[in-house]
Amino acid sequence: MSPRRSVVEYGLPPAEETHEIVKVPDKPMALVSQMSDSHLVKLALDPRTERVTGVKAFALGPKDAMLHGLAVSERHPGRIWATHEGGNRLLLVDPRADGLDAAPRVEREIGIPGGGRGPHYVNEYGDTLWVTLKGSDQVLALDHTRPERFRLFEAKPHPIFAARHPDSGDFYVSQDSASTVLRIDPRSGRTSQTPIPAERGSTPVGLIGGAGGVWVVLLGTDQAGTGTFGRIDEDGRTTWHRLRAPQGRSASLLHLALGRGREPVLWLLASSIVSDDARDLIIRVRFDSSWTRIVEEEYVALPTQMCKAHRLLPLANSVLVTELTTATVAQLTAARHIRPDDGV
């Protein structure tokens, strides 16, 4: 039997749009971007329970800079990369994770080169930053040690997430308005497009690499979602899965994350972002050991519906979720203590 779970919501400083969330490695702190006023919010976490114990927001650039993407840097330990979607910059930020009241410091700024516009998502792969440019419908690969070395790849409207395939090394990019997935061979620079089959759904948004492939979820339309997500294999073929429970078969899936433990677990986030008829749900999907068959589905509704649930972040013992329009972070926990190897 699945453990009984509960959801607690924590209010953040008021903002029209609350977006991305990351965990600071080895520190009891998470960071949230509020795009509407370019604030970075620090969440202090209890080291044992992971409960949110403090919240404080800091301006990170002018209000119209549109702080959005967040990514943990491995090349610069303790730092994060961030995007100014309106200001057309990449930032290397010291979040000052040793204290809630210490203001984050921008240590470095990199302008978007080559006429690209609107950096949305960023992630670091070695010395290369991969950035989706929502304003110019391009994908940027930039050497952050030598920013004059970069490549721009043309995309369709609008590139949202980018991820490297763990086996092939190719990069895949979700394009929500075109309902296609872009494939980039970083060695040759060749690109190709794979449309989402209409019978599966539409609007790929959340996309991550891991567990033998690149995983992508489908949001659907303002009429309905299809509760569909897929895994892209080394050769670019997609195996599609559809949620089976009644509340899952019409879910509008916006984001996803892999479980942190040994169990084959995928976390999905259903959102009301395109339809007031859609439900805001956290969904735990457990697979068999080969990641090919769904064994169990578990659903938890967010207490505040029509919040346009946006991103989720699994921690060791809980899951954090940002709510786009309510300036809120929700936290899902279990009634019993969950060990990290339980798949949460």
Side-chain angles (χ1 to χ4, degrees), residues 118-320:
H120 188 70
Y121 168 85
V122 61
N123 209 346
E124 178 191 274
Y125 293 88
D127 289 338
T128 303
L129 298 178
W130 283 79
V131 185
T132 58
L133 303 178
K134 198 172 178 181
S136 56
D137 292 328
Q138 295 171 305
V139 179
L140 169 67
L142 180 142
D143 185 335
H144 58 82
T145 68
R146 298 175 60 186
E148 69 276 9
R149 300 178 59 180
F150 68 91
R151 288 184 292 176
L152 285 168
F153 303 93
E154 298 301 317
K156 293 187 176 183
H158 292 294
I160 303 298
F161 285 94
R164 183 171 62 189
H165 197 287
D167 298 321
S168 70
D170 290 346
F171 280 81
Y172 288 83
V173 182
S174 57
Q175 301 162 120
D176 59 356
S177 295
S179 206
T180 62
V181 174
L182 171 65
R183 182 180 184 180
I184 302 171
D185 182 338
R187 299 160 292 274
S188 68
R190 289 192 297 268
T191 66
S192 59
Q193 295 279 356
T194 302
I196 301 299
E199 67 273 14
R200 299 294 183 181
S202 63
T203 320
V205 185
L207 179 143
I208 58 173
V214 165
W215 295 81
V216 61
V217 295
L218 302 183
L219 181 61
T221 68
D222 58 358
Q223 282 79 43
T226 59
T228 298
F229 60 99
R231 181 173 65 166
I232 303 170
D233 69 15
E234 183 176 4
D235 298 317
R237 296 184 297 260
T238 304
T239 299
W240 294 102
H241 301 275
R242 187 176 184 190
L243 297 170
R244 298 170 297 187
Q247 64 267 49
R249 292 186 66 81
S250 61
S252 296
L253 302 179
L254 182 71
H255 196 227
L256 74 166
L258 291 166
R260 288 169 51 94
R262 291 194 295 265
E263 272 197 322
V265 167
L266 192 67
W267 289 95
L268 306 175
L269 186 65
S271 177
S272 58
I273 192 168
V274 293
S275 173
D276 290 344
D277 294 326
R279 300 193 71 197
D280 295 285
L281 303 168
I282 304 172
I283 306 167
R284 182 181 186 269
V285 179
R286 183 165 62 88
F287 282 82
D288 63 4
S289 59
S290 66
W291 288 90
T292 59
R293 182 176 62 88
I294 295 176
V295 175
E296 181 184 41
E297 300 171 12
E298 183 182 350
Y299 295 80
V300 178
L302 292 181
T304 302
Q305 289 293 297
M306 296 178 59
C307 66
K308 297 178 171 48
H310 206 60
R311 301 289 185 253
L312 56 74
L313 174 68
L315 302 177
N317 302 310
S318 63
V319 178
L320 295 174

